[in-house]
């Protein structure tokens, strides 16, 4: 991994980076399902963090993945957050796309893997509100989310193996959280 940042202006930070990962799966004497496979993933990314006015933070990010088996994929994400400092209320939202190649285990696991699996791609959106109480020691958050995943990879318990779900899998819901700092430590 490598990352850097540059303060372009008082209200603008530019971040950038690269990462590389190499994975190897090896299994022998596995009832005829021996495997020795390697995949690598290299990514280049950049992000801008903008604070056009006090307490409003916007981000825009772009990532380009280069997968040794599944090729090039570009994804993006944008976020926004606004803090009402007087009340400790924070409004937030994000929108983005995603890419996930099948893991070596999902592809080559003895008995469970499926070498025909293809990458998942996704699009997601969320919007929510957070609230601080007790001088920031108690923080609550409520977020509505939407995630659409094309070609979802899942474990099929009936068939006892990984499989690709054709089409789009839709998830909608509400996520609630509560954080409480019991002590200063």
């Amino acid at each position: 991994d490598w990352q850097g940042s540059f303060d372009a202006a008082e209200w603008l930070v530019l971040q950038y980076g690269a990462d590389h990962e190499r994975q190897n799966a090896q299994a022998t004497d596995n009832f005829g399902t021996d495997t020795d496979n390697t995949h690598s993933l290299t990514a280049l990314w950049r992000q801008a963090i903008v604070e056009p006015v006090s307490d409003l933070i916007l981000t825009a990010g772009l990532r380009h993945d280069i997968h040794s088996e599944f090729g090039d994929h570009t994804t993006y994400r944008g976020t926004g957050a606004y803090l009402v400092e007087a009340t400790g209320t924070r409004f937030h939202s994000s929108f983005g796309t995603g890419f996930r190649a099948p893991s070596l285990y999902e592809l080559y696991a003895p008995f469970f893997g499926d070498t025909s699996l293809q990458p998942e791609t996704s699009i997601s959106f969320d919007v929510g509100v957070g609230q601080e109480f007790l001088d920031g020691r108690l923080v609550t958050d409520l977020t509505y989310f939407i995630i659409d995943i094309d070609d979802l990879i899942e474990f099929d318990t009936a068939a006892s193996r990984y499989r690709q779900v054709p089409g789009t899998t839709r998830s909608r819901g509400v996520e609630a959280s509560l954080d409480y700092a019991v002590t200063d430590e």
Side-chain angles (χ1 to χ4, degrees), residues 89-185:
T89 306
R90 186 175 76 87
F91 299 95
H92 57 87
S93 184
S94 72
F95 177 82
T97 60
F99 160 78
R100 186 182 82 82
S103 71
L104 290 174
Y105 189 80
E106 291 167 334
L107 289 166
Y108 306 114
F111 308 111
F112 305 120
D114 182 348
T115 57
S116 70
L117 294 175
Q118 295 298 306
E120 299 174 342
T121 56
S122 63
I123 190 164
S124 63
F125 168 77
D126 67 68
V127 62
V129 60
Q131 182 64 53
E132 291 183 358
F133 299 98
L134 305 174
D135 293 324
R137 292 181 65 155
L138 175 65
V139 180
T140 62
D141 192 87
L142 192 63
T143 303
Y144 173 74
F145 66 88
I146 299 170
I147 303 171
D148 289 349
I149 302 173
D150 289 331
D151 300 319
L152 175 73
I153 299 168
E154 71 173 11
F155 188 76
D156 183 347
T157 54
S160 293
R161 65 180 299 121
Y162 287 95
R163 71 178 186 108
Q164 197 99 49
V165 178
T168 301
T169 302
R170 301 180 189 280
S171 297
R172 313 283 190 261
V174 175
E175 179 179 270
S177 67
L178 176 77
D179 291 320
Y180 180 63
V182 178
T183 68
D184 290 338
E185 291 80 33

Side-chain angles (χ1 to χ4, degrees), residues 44-111:
L44 304 170
W45 59 270
R46 62 212 54 77
Q47 176 173 272
I49 303 171
V50 181
E51 189 172 357
V53 296
S54 182
D55 298 323
L56 174 64
I57 298 176
L58 306 172
T59 69
L62 189 66
R63 179 182 173 96
H64 184 73
D65 288 303
I66 305 160
H67 195 283
S68 62
E69 181 72 18
F70 298 107
D72 294 8
H73 296 272
T74 301
T75 56
Y76 57 87
R77 184 167 189 244
T79 70
Y82 182 72
L83 174 65
V84 180
E85 195 169 341
T87 62
T89 306
R90 186 175 76 87
F91 299 95
H92 57 87
S93 184
S94 72
F95 177 82
T97 60
F99 160 78
R100 186 182 82 82
S103 71
L104 290 174
Y105 189 80
E106 291 167 334
L107 289 166
Y108 306 114
F111 308 111

